[in-house]
């Protein structure tokens, strides 16, 4: 071992061992098994041939570690033949140190298992039909405030991509991986959520999201009561609120219980996928709302008249939910390991985050274009109204209407996602991050005030409810209130 370059020495040992072990694979018509035990290395090689009749997959076991691999399925993709080599190293901790897992995190990392490797020597098609499972015995005690990670070696550090903790108890853990490599079980004391977290930012985030959820709930309640009034709500606005409510609620719960969810990598990945879908759906509804706003402003003379929705609500539903579902489905198909980062979000490896940022950037750019077009239309309309001298009184009324539309349009531009642009710059300024968290958590608040609190018909409805509630709370008018209602 080269003491100055332990990682290089570890990689050399792994590569040479795999090369030597591959020579143990011999052609066979049925099955062949070889097992070697050395001081610091245990090896088991199992091969199947075209005439092998296995009712179930072989369970390979070395040095308190078992591997369950679908060798039968692999052989079917290789003309009936396949071989697997399973190796366990007891002298790798010094070379492939657990400190190389999340090296930027100032936490204590302890190796909880021996280092094991699995390969498919002399096998052409090495694609796994099903994930491979490792049942690993712990070599150290498991403290209550620790987090376990199933990791694999990528030549320079331990990473979790493609592996997740299936189940665990005091003495054993089961790791499931979508590929073969060199694996280990690493324990990290003090979950990473407490390492880099800022208590003040966390509190601001929780309070802001909670307030936004409250107003989103009030908005949806109002929309449900006024669902037949086109001046209050529409399909796009309602579904935007639903998507934002579900996305922010799931995000809030995930962050609150992150230390319990994160060790369950499958659950963490599923939640990341659901969040991906909900936020994409919210952005699609923002775009639809921007398009409908553009159509409404383009026909300013018809603002006061009751109109049906420009597009069928069934068509809008398909656009608002099917498109995000397709994007998430393609993302899962192309890079299934991209979900489940430390924050139970999308991983940044291989540019996978662009499966979210790409559609978001496209929608924000389209909304910017629509917003500029809306302003041009409004300004043009104002100028034309000023030129109608013979209709001064009418012009003044229309100008008041258009100015109101301008104000609402400016706020609508925020509602349809313009504040998300700040997210590209939050890494450079903490204050900007606070502003970003505030504005994006308060989309529901602004929707409530613009479409409910500032809507005359809704205010009258609120006033009627308040009077009825006040009357019901007065003992001397309770009987009269019951008769009237």
């Amino acid at each position: 071992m080269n003491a100055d370059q332990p990682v290089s020495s570890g990689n050399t040992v792994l590569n040479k061992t795999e090369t030597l072990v591959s020579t143990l694979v011999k052609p066979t018509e049925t099955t062949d098994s070889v097992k070697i035990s050395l001081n610091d290395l245990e090896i088991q090689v199992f091969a199947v041939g075209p005439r092998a009749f296995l009712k179930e997959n072989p369970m390979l076991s070395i040095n308190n570690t078992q591997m369950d691999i679908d060798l039968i399925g692999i052989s079917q993709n290789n003309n009936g033949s396949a071989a697997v080599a399973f190796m366990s190293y007891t002298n790798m901790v010094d070379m492939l140190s657990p400190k190389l897992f999340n090296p930027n995190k100032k936490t204590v990392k302890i190796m909880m298992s021996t280092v094991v490797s699995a390969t498919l020597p002399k096998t052409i098609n090495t694609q796994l039909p099903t994930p491979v499972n490792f049942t690993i015995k712990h070599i150290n005690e498991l403290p209550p405030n620790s987090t376990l990670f199933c990791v694999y070696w990528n030549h320079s550090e331990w990473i979790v991509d493609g592996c997740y903790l299936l189940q665990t108890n005091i003495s054993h853990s089961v790791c499931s991986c979508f590929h073969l490599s060199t694996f280990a079980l690493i324990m990290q004391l003090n979950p990473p959520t407490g390492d880099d977290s800022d208590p003040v930012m966390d509190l601001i985030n929780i309070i802001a999201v909670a307030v936004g959820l409250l107003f989103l709930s009030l908005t949806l309640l109002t929309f449900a009561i006024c669902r037949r009034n086109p001046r209050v709500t529409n399909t796009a606005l309602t579904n935007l609120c639903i998507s934002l409510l579900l996305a922010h609620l799931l995000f809030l719960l995930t962050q609150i219980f992150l230390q319990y969810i994160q060790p369950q990598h499958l659950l963490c990945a599923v939640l990341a996928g659901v969040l991906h879908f909900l936020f994409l759906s919210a952005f699609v509804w923002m775009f639809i709302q921007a398009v409908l706003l553009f159509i409404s402003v383009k026909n300013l003379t018809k603002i006061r008249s009751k109109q049906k929705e420009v597009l069928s609500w069934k068509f809008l539903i398909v656009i608002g939910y099917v498109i995000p579902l397709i994007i998430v489905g393609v993302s899962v198909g192309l890079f299934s390991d991209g979900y489940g980062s430390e924050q139970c979000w999308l991983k940044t490896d291989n540019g996978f985050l662009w499966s979210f940022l790409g559609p978001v950037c496209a929608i924000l750019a389209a909304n910017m274009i629509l917003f500029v077009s809306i302003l041009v239309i409004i300004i043009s309309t104002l100028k034309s109204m000023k030129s109608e001298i013979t209709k001064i009184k009418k012009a003044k009324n229309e100008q008041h209407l258009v100015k109101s539309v301008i104000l609402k349009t400016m706020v609508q531009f925020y509602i349809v996602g313009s504040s998300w642009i700040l997210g590209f710059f939050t890494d450079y300024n903490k204050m900007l991050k606070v502003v970003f968290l505030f504005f994006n958590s308060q989309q529901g608040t602004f929707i409530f005030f613009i479409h409910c609190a500032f809507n005359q018909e809704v205010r009258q409805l609120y006033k009627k409810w308040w009077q009825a509630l006040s009357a019901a709370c007065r003992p001397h008018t309770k009987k009269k209130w019951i008769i009237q209602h």
Side-chain angles (χ1 to χ4, degrees), residues 337-367:
D337 300 338
Y339 294 96
S341 67
E342 290 185 357
Q343 300 298 321
C344 290
W345 179 235
L346 276 62
K347 298 177 182 177
T348 57
D349 303 334
N350 301 322
F352 184 72
L353 189 59
W354 282 99
S355 64
F356 175 72
L357 293 181
V360 167
C361 290
I363 290 174
L364 290 178
N367 286 355

Side-chain angles (χ1 to χ4, degrees), residues 5 36 94 96 111 121 151 172 216 269 271 332 336 379 388 416 472:
Q5 296 180 330
I36 298 176
D94 293 332
L96 310 183
M111 191 70 76
V151 296
H172 290 79
L216 277 171
L271 290 177
V332 172
S336 58
I379 294 172
E388 296 179 0
V416 296

Side-chain angles (χ1 to χ4, degrees), residues 385 387-398:
M385 287 178 178
S387 64
E388 296 179 0
I389 302 175
T390 57
K391 301 178 181 179
I392 297 176
K393 186 176 180 179
K394 181 180 178 181
K396 287 183 179 180
N397 293 334
E398 294 295 340

Side-chain angles (χ1 to χ4, degrees), residues 250-377:
L250 183 59
F251 171 78
L252 182 63
L253 294 176
T254 301
Q255 297 309 306
I256 291 176
F257 300 104
L258 185 61
Q259 59 179 331
Y260 306 107
I261 298 173
Q262 191 184 54
Q264 308 298 324
H265 296 292
L266 181 58
L267 175 61
C268 185
V270 170
L271 290 177
V274 175
L275 280 172
H276 188 195
F277 167 75
L278 290 175
F279 276 116
L280 281 180
S281 178
F283 272 97
V284 173
W285 285 112
M286 291 177 201
F287 172 70
I288 295 174
Q289 179 67 12
V291 172
L292 295 177
L293 180 64
F294 171 77
I295 295 173
S296 298
V297 173
K298 192 176 180 181
N299 300 283
L300 281 173
T301 57
K302 300 179 182 179
I303 285 180
R304 294 182 176 179
S305 61
K306 294 184 178 180
Q307 299 179 18
K308 295 182 179 180
E309 293 187 15
V310 178
L311 300 175
S312 169
W313 67 270
K314 295 181 180 179
F315 179 70
L316 294 179
I317 290 292
V318 171
I319 295 177
Y321 293 111
V322 173
I323 291 179
L325 188 62
I326 292 174
I327 294 175
V328 174
V330 172
S331 300
V332 172
L334 294 179
F335 196 66
S336 58
D337 300 338
Y339 294 96
S341 67
E342 290 185 357
Q343 300 298 321
C344 290
W345 179 235
L346 276 62
K347 298 177 182 177
T348 57
D349 303 334
N350 301 322
F352 184 72
L353 189 59
W354 282 99
S355 64
F356 175 72
L357 293 181
V360 167
C361 290
I363 290 174
L364 290 178
N367 286 355
M368 283 286 292
I369 295 172
L370 289 171
F371 177 69
V372 173
S373 302
I374 289 171
L375 287 181
V376 170
I377 293 173

